[in-house]
């Protein structure tokens, strides 16, 4: 599942958090996936984290990115 986190991180850095969260929600709806599987069922039958967990991770990444951007000094323009 560590590779899923890396893939989600790459997608958020490339596309942004909102499109990624929307895509994950659409995939879950299209596949009629149970968003909250029993932990034992998940352990033996799933190779991806549950969609709500992935969406939460994407949103947390977005918040962390926004916080780090606020902490960056300067106006964001490159110096000559």
């Amino acid at each position: 599942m560590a590779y899923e986190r890396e893939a989600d991180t790459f997608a958020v850095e490339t596309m942004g958090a909102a499109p990624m969260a929307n895509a994950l929600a659409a995939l879950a709806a299209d596949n009629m996936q149970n968003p909250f599987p029993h932990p034992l069922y998940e352990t033996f039958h799933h190779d991806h984290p549950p969609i709500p967990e992935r969406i939460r991770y994407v949103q947390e990444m977005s918040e962390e990115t926004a916080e780090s951007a606020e902490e960056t000094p300067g106006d964001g323009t490159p110096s000559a």
Side-chain angles (χ1 to χ4, degrees), residues 9-80:
T9 301
F10 176 78
V12 169
E13 291 172 352
T14 304
M15 298 174 24
M20 180 63 178
N22 291 340
L24 288 169
L27 282 172
D30 289 348
N31 294 324
M32 298 186 301
Q33 181 179 9
N34 177 5
F36 303 104
H38 188 279
L40 283 176
Y41 184 86
E42 179 185 346
T43 299
F44 292 106
H45 297 283
H46 289 199
D47 55 357
H48 293 68
I51 294 293
E53 185 179 319
R54 292 180 71 188
I55 291 174
R56 191 175 322 111
Y57 177 75
V58 165
Q59 291 170 340
E60 288 172 0
M61 280 190 51
S62 176
E63 292 169 4
E64 288 174 7
T65 304
E67 288 174 2
S68 66
E70 291 173 0
E71 294 172 2
T72 304
D75 61 356
T77 56
S79 59

